[in-house]
Amino acid sequence: MPTHPPPVSQPPPVKEKKATRPRAESAPPKPVAAAESPPPPPAPLAGPEADSPLAEAAPEEAPPRPNLLPSWSVLAPGPGAPAGVPESRGRTLRPGDPELRPESKEEEGEKLTARVQDWIDDDTAGVRAGGIGGHPYFGQMRGSLEGGLAHTDGGKPEQLGVTNPVAGLMKNYTEAAREFGRTGTPGGAPPPSAPLQSERLTALFGNDPKGAHKIRAMAQARESLEALASRGALFTVKLEVRHARSGALLDARIAEHSGNELFDAFVLKVVPGALGDLAPPPATVIRDKKDLRTQWLVEGWHHASKGLMESIGSSLLSGQLAVSPLLLMKDEKSLQSSFEYRARLLKVY
């Protein structure tokens, strides 16, 4: 029988891979910054600028590091330290510093005693001024100070920055209105014991409108203006002076300012000429002290002109505070105000 060759075994067929379509909704993965290749260098420039090196892109700056070195140190600050660090003016306290030591009872007692003694001295100085303030020596000091303030150049209202001719009147009116709103009374000086002219007219004519009604209204307007004008000074300053036993002026300073720098400076300007060289104080005034220290209240009273006050008084009869136009047409002397200076002894140390 014919023999058949053995069948040749064929390899299994290779399955073809089907191409998978990418999903529409899936986004391609973001490239990692570290895997990015550096950008190609820029092309060389032609011309004279080709030889100059190109500035490289500055990397992102890191946050500055705090500089812990003191400003007085000679060491250079490290990289990233802020420039122009202001010099510290403080003082470092360390354990064992004397300032950290608590005060002893003796030291605390000494401070408390000195403070109480200052209070006693101030109270005693005020009481002594009320008792010995009428001494002729202090009367001479008062007269010399008031005369120097009144006759020294620079003490006029316009030289002190006061341009309103009724500045003192308006200040007192504002204070009276504020006090009336707070307490129900305008305050000010107590009423005189003798009856006013308007009160005498009321007692004489009663409320008869045909009587002296207009005269009584004019009297009340004048009394109201006088009360406002005498209510208080426009500027007040506390002046403290110190004299030697020989009468020479040792020191002068402002203990309490008036709020007007020009007025304060003017008062200090007058003091050397008015109180610079006095007679030696009597023994009853200076006692056993090495110097004489006094405190004065210097007041600047601002007074409007007579014509202006009469015009304001006439306007009060109509219920309106106004100035007559005829007065404004006159010369400036009709509106020129003045200052009156007063000095009062407060304390004698």
Side-chain angles (χ1 to χ4, degrees):
M1 293 180 62
T3 60
H4 297 282
V8 180
S9 61
Q10 297 181 357
V14 180
K15 297 182 179 180
E16 296 181 359
K17 295 183 178 180
K18 296 182 180 181
T20 59
R21 182 176 299 177
R23 298 180 181 178
E25 62 275 4
S26 61
K30 295 182 180 180
V32 183
E36 292 182 354
S37 58
L45 301 176
E49 298 180 357
D51 297 333
S52 60
L54 298 177
E56 298 179 359
E60 184 179 357
E61 296 183 357
R65 300 177 182 178
N67 183 18
L68 302 181
L69 296 176
S71 57
W72 45 262
S73 176
V74 298
L75 300 177
V85 179
E87 182 179 357
S88 176
R89 299 181 180 273
R91 178 175 175 271
T92 303
L93 297 178
R94 295 179 174 82
D97 196 289
E99 294 187 7
L100 297 179
R101 180 179 58 85
E103 295 182 353
S104 61
K105 293 184 178 180
E106 291 77 8
E107 294 175 345
E108 186 177 355
E110 291 178 358
K111 288 186 177 181
L112 183 59
T113 303
R115 188 176 303 174
V116 173
Q117 186 63 39
D118 292 340
W119 294 342
I120 295 176
D121 292 343
D122 287 340
D123 294 341
T124 305
V127 173
R128 189 162 184 261
I132 202 175
H135 194 279
Y137 186 81
F138 295 114
Q140 295 176 3
M141 291 182 64
R142 182 185 302 104
S144 179
L145 182 57
E146 291 178 350
L149 292 169
H151 298 93
T152 303
D153 183 27
K156 296 181 178 180
E158 58 271 12
Q159 294 174 321
L160 298 176
V162 182
T163 57
N164 187 355
V166 290
L169 191 65
M170 294 303 297
K171 172 181 176 292
N172 294 337
Y173 178 82
T174 304
E175 292 180 354
R178 186 184 301 112
E179 186 68 15
F180 183 81
R182 188 176 66 88
T183 62
T185 57
S193 56
L196 300 175
Q197 183 180 2
S198 60
E199 295 174 346
R200 291 197 297 265
L201 291 174
T202 301
L204 182 61
F205 295 99
N207 295 325
D208 184 9
K210 296 181 180 180
H213 179 70
K214 186 175 182 180
I215 299 177
R216 185 171 61 250
M218 293 180 62
Q220 289 177 346
R222 187 180 68 253
E223 291 167 359
S224 299
L225 288 178
E226 291 176 355
L228 287 176
S230 60
R231 179 182 177 89
L234 180 61
F235 300 129
T236 57
V237 63
K238 287 185 180 180
L239 173 69
E240 189 172 305
V241 293
R242 190 165 58 93
H243 289 84
R245 298 185 68 91
S246 61
L249 181 65
L250 299 177
D251 184 29
R253 69 180 188 90
I254 299 295
E256 184 175 323
H257 296 271
S258 65
N260 187 318
E261 296 181 357
L262 297 177
F263 184 81
D264 297 349
F266 174 70
V267 172
L268 288 179
K269 171 187 172 182
V270 172
V271 168
L275 304 177
D277 191 10
L278 300 177
T284 55
V285 171
I286 195 171
R287 298 180 297 176
D288 57 346
K289 303 285 185 180
K290 63 179 181 180
D291 54 16
L292 175 63
R293 186 159 62 102
T294 56
Q295 188 179 95
W296 299 81
L297 182 67
V298 181
E299 300 175 332
W301 291 75
H302 184 260
H303 299 299
S305 62
K306 182 178 179 181
L308 185 58
M309 293 293 289
E310 292 178 353
S311 177
I312 295 176
S314 300
S315 67
L316 290 177
L317 297 178
S318 60
Q320 295 179 356
L321 183 60
V323 179
S324 174
L326 297 178
L327 181 63
L328 299 178
M329 295 175 63
K330 297 181 180 181
D331 54 357
E332 295 182 356
K333 292 183 179 180
S334 302
L335 300 176
Q336 188 175 6
S337 56
S338 61
F339 253 109
E340 177 190 359
Y341 294 96
R342 304 177 188 176
R344 181 161 56 95
L345 183 62
L346 294 180
K347 297 179 181 180
V348 179
Y349 292 92

